[in-house]
């Protein structure tokens, strides 16, 4: 790698696809029970990188958290959920979307076995302390677990969501 050169911003801009419209609507990451705004901002940046949208409940603190966390300073695709998030999730499922939960469960498949998304897919993330609640687990088509070998119980939710987004997008 002695001749390697870090790509410049104009290089990177030329490599990227241009978004045709405001919303990709193929992969939707859904932190439905969020606790920390900083995680939402991190996930929003991954959404831009892989061409995904985010769905979040319309809680008073969330618009500010997203505006603060949107370090790209460009409009991002956010679906606002009014009312109960489990009902929203049930509607997505009834409408034909695949529902993938990112969670450590006794029925989870490993991240390596998760195929690239071939249809509209909602990726459900759990609460930072308590995970995906039972009413959310009941609506999943599949749960995916990111294997860990360290001593911690779990990953940061934004890291877990980003890894799954990359796998579903077929970019890694
Ligand atoms: C910090 S974890 C939840 C806390 C967890 N129940 C515990 O006891 O440590 C927050 C969320 O991140 C995601 N998550 C973290 N690590 C994960 C892993 N290794 N595999 C799949 N999901 C993970 C899940 O969506 C989870 O609900």
């Amino acid at each position: 790698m002695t001749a390697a050169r870090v790509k410049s911003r104009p290089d990177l801009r030329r490599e990227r696809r241009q978004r045709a419209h405001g919303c990709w609507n193929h992969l939707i990451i859904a932190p439905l029970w969020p606790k920390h705004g900083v995680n939402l901002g991190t996930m929003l940046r991954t959404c831009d990188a892989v061409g995904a949208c985010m769905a979040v409940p319309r809680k008073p603190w969330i618009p500010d958290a997203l505006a603060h966390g949107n370090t790209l300073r460009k409009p991002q695709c956010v679906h606002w959920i009014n009312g109960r998030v489990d009902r929203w999730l049930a509607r997505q499922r009834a409408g034909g979307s695949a529902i993938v939960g990112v969670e450590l469960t006794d029925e989870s498949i490993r991240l390596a076995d998760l195929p690239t998304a071939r249809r509209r897919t909602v990726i459900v993330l759990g609460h930072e302390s308590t995970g995906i609640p039972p009413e959310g687990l009941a609506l999943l088509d599949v749960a995916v677990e990111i294997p860990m070998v360290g001593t911690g119980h779990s990953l940061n939710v934004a890291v877990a969501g980003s890894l799954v987004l990359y796998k579903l997008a077929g970019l890694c």
Side-chain angles (χ1 to χ4, degrees):
M1 292 287 283
T2 47
R5 178 182 68 83
V6 176
K7 291 176 182 175
S8 67
R9 285 186 172 214
D11 288 340
L12 293 171
R13 255 196 302 277
R14 271 191 298 276
E15 280 179 11
R16 302 285 188 268
R17 35 180 182 154
Q18 296 301 312
R19 192 185 332 217
H21 51 84
C23 185
W24 302 98
N25 213 24
H26 172 59
L27 296 175
I28 298 115
I29 193 134
L32 299 181
W33 304 272
K35 183 178 171 192
H36 300 305
V38 66
N39 290 328
L40 297 179
T42 302
M43 282 187 266
L44 205 53
R45 191 155 182 152
T46 305
C47 284
D48 176 80
V50 304
C53 307
M54 180 184 285
V56 278
R58 199 182 279 282
K59 289 180 185 277
W61 60 272
I62 292 185
D64 269 358
L66 286 178
H68 190 68
N70 183 5
T71 49
L72 296 175
R73 306 275 176 257
K74 283 187 280 184
Q76 303 290 311
C77 175
V78 177
H79 300 248
W80 293 101
I81 302 171
N82 296 308
R84 284 178 50 171
V85 292
D86 56 337
R87 290 194 182 148
W88 175 85
L89 194 57
R91 285 197 299 277
Q92 304 307 306
R93 194 169 196 230
S97 295
I99 313 293
V100 174
V102 182
E103 193 55 276
L104 298 137
T105 81
D106 54 5
E107 293 182 12
S108 297
I109 63 166
R110 292 161 61 95
L111 181 61
D113 296 327
L114 184 68
T116 301
R118 298 281 171 226
R119 61 180 162 126
R120 188 178 191 268
T121 300
V122 177
I123 303 108
V124 180
L125 296 167
H127 181 273
E128 278 91 333
S129 306
T130 53
I132 301 179
E135 68 273 19
L137 291 175
L139 290 164
L140 304 180
D141 292 312
V142 67
V144 59
E145 171 173 340
I146 301 149
M148 299 170 59
V149 294
T151 52
H153 289 133
S154 59
L155 294 164
N156 167 275
V157 68
V159 171
S162 297
L163 289 168
V164 173
L165 269 179
Y166 261 91
K167 190 73 170 54
L168 286 169
L171 291 174
C172 67

